[in-house]
Amino acid sequence: MEEKCKENILILDFGSQYSKIISRRIRDFGVNALLYPYTISLYDILLKKPKGIILSGGPFSVYKKNSPKLSSKIFKLKIPILGICYGMQLISLIFGGKIKKSIYKEYGKSNFIINDTENLLFSDIPKKSIVWMSHFDEVKYIPNEFKIIGKTTYCNIAAITHIKKKIFAVQFHPEVENTVFGKNILKNFLIKICKCNINLVINNFIKNSINKIKKKVSNKKVILGFSGGLDSFVTAYLIHKAIGNSLICIFIDTGFFLNFEKKRILKICKKMNFYIKLINAKNHFFSKLKKVKNPEIKRKIIGKEFILFFEKISKKIKNVEFLAQGTIYSDVIESSSNNNNSSFISNTIKSHHNVGGLPKSIKFKLIEPLKELFKDEVQKIGEIISLPKEILYRHPFPGPGLSIRIIGKINKKKISILKKAENILFQELIKYNIYYNVRQAFIVLLPVKSVGVMGDKRSYEYAAVLRVVNTKDFMTANFTHLSYNFLEKISNRIINEVNGINRVLYDISSKPPSTIEWE
Ligand code: XMP
């Protein structure tokens, strides 16, 4: 059914077995997918007012006489075009490229490398990933006005773009599940290239997610690992809308949260009618982590212990079959090689506790409705569902919490020192009206002591680092240019008020090459 109120993407079908999947993917983003045979007239195309056109794959060879062709006039309509597989070969042929039988026929998973990481089609996609290929022909020479933007091990020309026009083409199939970042590539085409309205897309995402969750969960129960941040509130909102009080939010207090967190979470959950269970696991987590130095091991232990707690809790509640998590896209990418049995996938940057930190076998089915979204998109959902400002613009707080902000081994004294320093930072950020103008701010406690002099006495205490960044999607970030006045204020208060710190440093690194957290 063609919905009048939505934006249209036209898919021209050249007989691919995946054409319907392309429509399905587009619809999942809340954009209307119109699937038509490639024979549709230019006049009819214009009547549909598409924001973009996708040329599907197909079982033919473009150089065969009776193979399906396309009028070159379509490229003069100034509508963005994405060619997939046969669609790519057709675009190349029309613009004067050469297509030949491939020496290596590729069917199945292939290693894909992006040549042009700046290209909008591949925006925020890891440079190396797995794509799904199914072709016996390939482009041997690209047309004059085109450039190559990606290759695979056996296919040097696996993605191309017109230098001036918004024409893109890929030899692989972004629409199939096996192309690991396929949905993100299609989303980039819709939002970044065709400029589909993100609000409409997000509104439809909300509707679709709620329906999917309802269907999946049916009359079972879901427990949600709830940390009190934006991602877990939005996840809770979607699931709660779908199944009401069959959702049980679980906040496990690891002792690595700031002291005011518990109260804040309870207050907001009450307001939103979420059922929440608080579990005090401070001693347990401390004893599991106290001897651990390596950050990856810290994350893995936390991921595993969370799951063990969820399993224990679920035994006491009837009918729990699902575990929900507020995982977002950047958590997945940065933990990625742990989730795929291929070392070719992007390197593990950090095993986020909820992805790479999860034990290999768990007894729950996972529900992660935000898994394909960036933080700014989750925020957009938050705006649409009118979450209060203190959740919407709250700085992210990593699941492993303060344990990964104490570099190296943790102990109770260090936790207490760091909590005091973070509290001071929070107070000053609010007072100076900076909190909502930066995206993340925190203190890192170094395992380094230095000499100082306080009240005519020698001191020998820890050094702390102030980290304040601005970012949109947390995949890249810049340190914030804070005023010297503010830096001085923070430094003075921390050194004067927190026993155990006698030196404060400001981190002026960006991401990449650094990351936001230190561990
Ligand atoms: P990095 O340090 O990788 O962090 O630049 C990017 C964002 O992710 C947060 N982060 C985590 N969040 N579990 C989480 O829930 C984790 O294990 C984790 N590690 C990092 C980090 O605070 C930043 O906002």
Side-chain angles (χ1 to χ4, degrees), residues 120-373:
L120 286 183
L121 192 64
F122 300 136
S123 179
D124 298 315
I125 310 271
K127 192 170 165 60
K128 295 175 180 181
S129 64
I130 297 292
V131 296
W132 187 259
M133 287 285 218
S134 178
H135 69 117
F136 42 83
D137 290 345
E138 67 183 31
V139 178
K140 275 282 169 228
Y141 300 105
I142 57 166
N144 273 342
E145 299 149 296
F146 279 70
K147 67 172 181 174
I148 301 171
I149 53 176
K151 62 177 181 187
T152 66
T153 317
Y154 297 110
C155 175
N156 276 330
I157 309 177
I160 56 174
T161 186
H162 194 287
I163 295 165
K164 291 192 187 129
K165 296 182 179 169
K166 288 184 175 176
I167 302 173
F168 302 81
V170 289
Q171 182 56 67
F172 57 86
H173 289 270
E175 69 276 23
V176 304
E177 287 286 349
N178 290 310
T179 296
V180 179
F181 295 101
K183 287 182 195 158
N184 305 81
I185 293 172
L186 290 174
K187 190 165 78 181
N188 282 341
F189 180 66
L190 298 182
I191 292 174
K192 301 220 155 125
I193 295 165
C194 302
K195 306 281 180 213
C196 290
N197 179 336
I198 181 114
N199 271 346
L200 277 182
V201 172
I202 297 279
N203 260 316
N204 280 289
F205 173 89
I206 296 174
K207 221 167 65 193
N208 289 342
S209 296
I210 294 172
N211 285 337
K212 272 192 217 161
I213 295 166
K214 221 183 251 173
K215 244 196 205 153
K216 189 167 172 177
V217 175
S218 179
N219 58 353
K220 302 286 181 209
K221 289 206 169 96
V222 178
I223 55 172
L224 166 66
F226 194 84
S227 69
L230 174 70
D231 306 339
S232 46
F233 268 108
V234 171
T235 305
Y237 172 90
L238 295 174
I239 302 175
H240 191 253
K241 274 270 171 225
I243 60 165
N245 280 344
S246 294
L247 167 73
I248 300 127
C249 301
I250 301 192
F251 175 71
I252 298 182
D253 186 356
T254 57
F256 302 129
F257 291 96
L258 297 182
N259 291 339
F260 54 78
E261 276 298 282
K262 214 161 72 184
K263 226 167 146 189
R264 183 190 69 92
I265 288 172
L266 282 178
K267 194 173 132 205
I268 303 174
C269 281
K270 195 169 166 201
K271 205 164 139 192
M272 314 233 356
N273 280 328
F274 298 158
Y275 176 60
I276 181 148
K277 256 180 173 319
L278 285 182
I279 310 288
N280 181 347
K282 286 183 192 157
N283 291 338
H284 182 82
F285 275 83
F286 180 74
S287 70
K288 290 281 167 194
L289 285 174
K290 69 179 179 212
K291 292 196 178 106
V292 185
K293 198 171 166 195
N294 179 305
E296 275 298 281
I297 299 178
K298 282 185 188 172
R299 284 160 187 279
K300 293 245 155 88
I301 291 176
I302 287 182
K304 183 175 150 216
E305 291 304 318
F306 269 135
I307 295 293
L308 291 178
F309 266 96
F310 293 142
E311 285 180 351
K312 228 191 290 172
I313 294 159
S314 72
K315 282 191 190 133
K316 294 184 190 149
I317 308 166
K318 239 183 164 181
N319 243 346
V320 176
E321 207 172 293
F322 298 89
L323 170 68
Q325 302 197 114
T327 311
I328 64 168
Y329 182 57
S330 49
D331 304 342
V332 180
I333 294 194
E334 298 197 337
S335 307
S336 63
S337 72
N338 283 44
N339 283 319
N340 296 283
N341 295 327
S342 165
S343 57
F344 190 84
I345 295 276
S346 58
N347 222 295
T348 304
I349 309 295
K350 290 174 187 183
S351 297
H352 285 230
H353 76 287
N354 47 340
V355 190
L358 280 187
K360 283 217 163 60
S361 71
I362 56 174
K363 70 165 232 179
F364 300 105
K365 292 180 192 150
L366 283 180
I367 296 188
E368 296 177 308
L370 310 179
K371 208 172 173 176
E372 271 137 33
L373 302 188

Side-chain angles (χ1 to χ4, degrees), residues 24 130 260 414 427 438:
R24 162 80 209 280
I130 297 292
F260 54 78
K414 286 185 179 179
Q427 286 165 12
V438 298

